[in-house]
Amino acid sequence: MINLTESAVNAVRTAINGAKDPIVGLRIMVESGGCAGLKYKMDLIATVEPSDLVVEQSGLKVFVDPASVGVLDGTTVDFVINLEGSGFVFDNPQAQSQCSCGKSFG
């Protein structure tokens, strides 16, 4: 359904370990917005929505909003560090178009 690279898993674990409150995992969803129509949203969460799809990878729990499942199916999330900065990058086979920054898609 959704896959995180080793680099993304490590980045999320680092964020979880640095959080001041207990975290159960990472929630990923898609919402309206961005220059291409839809944008990705990621949050560390302390509580689980009962309707979320749960994907466990390398001991990390990823929760996917049920409304986002169809548009995230097959997506790979990576964490990259380059000259322009660092951040999460989405490779989404469901996206028909994408903005130049890679944060939104259509």
Side-chain angles (χ1 to χ4, degrees):
M1 166 345 52
I2 195 165
N3 181 53
L4 276 70
T5 65
E6 184 177 337
S7 178
V9 168
N10 290 338
V12 173
R13 279 196 181 127
T14 298
I16 289 172
N17 291 338
K20 62 180 180 174
D21 297 319
I23 301 296
V24 294
L26 174 71
R27 187 162 198 258
I28 300 177
M29 63 183 293
V30 172
E31 58 185 22
S32 295
C35 50
L38 297 171
K39 63 182 179 178
Y40 301 104
K41 184 174 179 186
M42 298 173 55
D43 291 311
L44 297 178
I45 58 169
T47 58
V48 178
E49 294 292 329
S51 58
D52 282 349
L53 172 72
V54 181
V55 178
E56 190 164 340
Q57 185 174 338
S58 301
L60 176 68
K61 289 187 179 179
V62 179
F63 302 90
V64 181
D65 171 68
S68 303
V69 169
V71 292
L72 290 174
D73 191 27
T75 297
T76 297
V77 181
D78 193 9
F79 185 80
V80 297
I81 301 172
N82 56 36
L83 292 174
E84 293 82 32
S86 61
F88 291 95
V89 176
F90 295 81
D91 181 13
N92 185 344
Q94 306 302 320
Q96 296 177 4
S97 62
Q98 183 172 312
C99 69
S100 60
C101 72
K103 301 297 181 195
S104 70
F105 67 100

